[in-house]
Amino acid sequence: YLYPTSGHILVDGRDVVRESLEVRRRIGYLAGDTPLYRDMRVDKFLLFVGAARGLGKRELADSFERVVALCDIESVLLHRVHQCSTGFRQRIGLATALIHDPPVLLLDEPTHGFDPLQVIAFREMLRGLRPNRAILFSTHIVSDVEAISDRVLIIHLGRLLGNGRIDELADAAGVGASSSLETVFANLVRAAQDERERG
């Protein structure tokens, strides 16, 4: 909805301004607050989202089975969304993001509401999805980043402070390669604040 004031953004090789609908077809998105139709039954909701994504009958049936198994939501298919726990609602949201098998997956705070076992299962699932798609997720939970990310971007107050593997960021932050990502983040933020104060 907001046009860029400078630069270009390409998603899967498509320009987000000139080819915005094509870009949206290529993205699966899970918002941090998991917006769902709470009064719909889970199975009906997933079928509704798949149809809205333009999936044909056979493709929709196959995709439905795939995301239900992948997100482990068989047990709640006949429940209404509002009857599901926060963790299950998050998994339902993830299923809607994946139903059209997008090459790009955007996740905002994806483990919100998960218990520790669900977090482990989620990380394993993301590892399984990585070979076939680009996955970008935004989170404040550093352990999730350390556990599954190939590359990390550190953003503070709208500025990109670091971009690379964790060991590269540790080097840029002036800390040892074995340092935690929290330490790397804190050092990069402090350096940026000192730079702003100087000038």
Side-chain angles (χ1 to χ4, degrees), residues 50-82:
R53 281 287 190 179
L55 300 179
K57 192 172 184 178
R58 181 71 248 161
E59 189 182 11
L60 179 54
D62 292 343
S63 291
F64 177 84
E65 287 181 27
R66 177 179 53 82
V67 298
V68 165
L70 186 63
C71 298
D72 193 21
I73 55 175
E74 298 96 333
S75 63
V76 297
L77 285 178
L78 300 181
H79 290 77
R80 295 199 182 277
V81 171
H82 71 83

Side-chain angles (χ1 to χ4, degrees), residues 14-198:
R14 309 289 177 138
D15 185 280
V16 298
V17 174
R18 289 184 285 112
E19 302 170 280
S20 65
L21 290 178
E22 198 54 45
V23 166
R24 291 176 204 189
R25 287 185 188 101
R26 290 168 158 30
I27 292 176
Y29 176 59
L30 175 63
D33 59 358
T34 321
L36 306 170
Y37 289 128
R38 298 174 58 85
D39 290 331
M40 288 184 80
R41 224 170 62 182
V42 173
D43 58 346
K44 304 282 188 196
F45 178 64
L46 289 176
L47 293 170
F48 166 76
V49 171
R53 281 287 190 179
L55 300 179
K57 192 172 184 178
R58 181 71 248 161
E59 189 182 11
L60 179 54
D62 292 343
S63 291
F64 177 84
E65 287 181 27
R66 177 179 53 82
V67 298
V68 165
L70 186 63
C71 298
D72 193 21
I73 55 175
E74 298 96 333
S75 63
V76 297
L77 285 178
L78 300 181
H79 290 77
R80 295 199 182 277
V81 171
H82 71 83
Q83 296 172 315
C84 299
S85 69
T86 302
F88 267 114
R89 286 197 302 272
Q90 196 73 351
R91 285 194 259 168
I92 294 162
L94 184 59
T96 65
L98 290 167
I99 197 149
H100 61 298
D101 199 22
V104 178
L105 190 58
L106 302 177
L107 309 172
D108 183 16
E109 301 290 354
T111 57
H112 170 73
F114 283 2
D115 65 38
L117 290 177
Q118 290 172 326
V119 170
I120 291 167
F122 174 79
R123 290 174 181 171
E124 289 171 3
M125 184 197 63
L126 276 192
R127 285 188 199 100
L129 292 171
R130 284 191 328 191
N132 300 318
R133 75 197 77 240
I135 302 171
L136 177 67
F137 74 96
S138 170
T139 185
H140 293 91
I141 303 172
V142 176
S143 57
D144 284 347
V145 177
E146 289 177 315
I148 60 177
S149 297
D150 295 324
R151 197 166 119 210
V152 177
L153 284 80
I154 295 178
I155 299 171
H156 182 67
L157 299 176
R159 283 187 58 213
L160 180 64
L161 302 183
N163 176 2
R165 295 187 322 264
I166 294 175
D167 62 321
E168 294 171 337
L169 294 174
D171 187 46
V175 297
S178 61
S179 296
S180 72
L181 188 55
E182 286 175 339
T183 300
V184 170
F185 176 84
N187 278 26
L188 289 173
V189 168
R190 284 188 202 113
Q193 288 171 334
D194 290 345
E195 183 183 317
R196 267 199 319 276
E197 287 170 10
R198 284 193 305 269

Side-chain angles (χ1 to χ4, degrees), residues 1-22:
Y1 293 106
L2 298 176
Y3 282 91
T5 54
S6 64
H8 292 61
I9 302 172
L10 299 178
V11 174
D12 198 27
R14 309 289 177 138
D15 185 280
V16 298
V17 174
R18 289 184 285 112
E19 302 170 280
S20 65
L21 290 178
E22 198 54 45

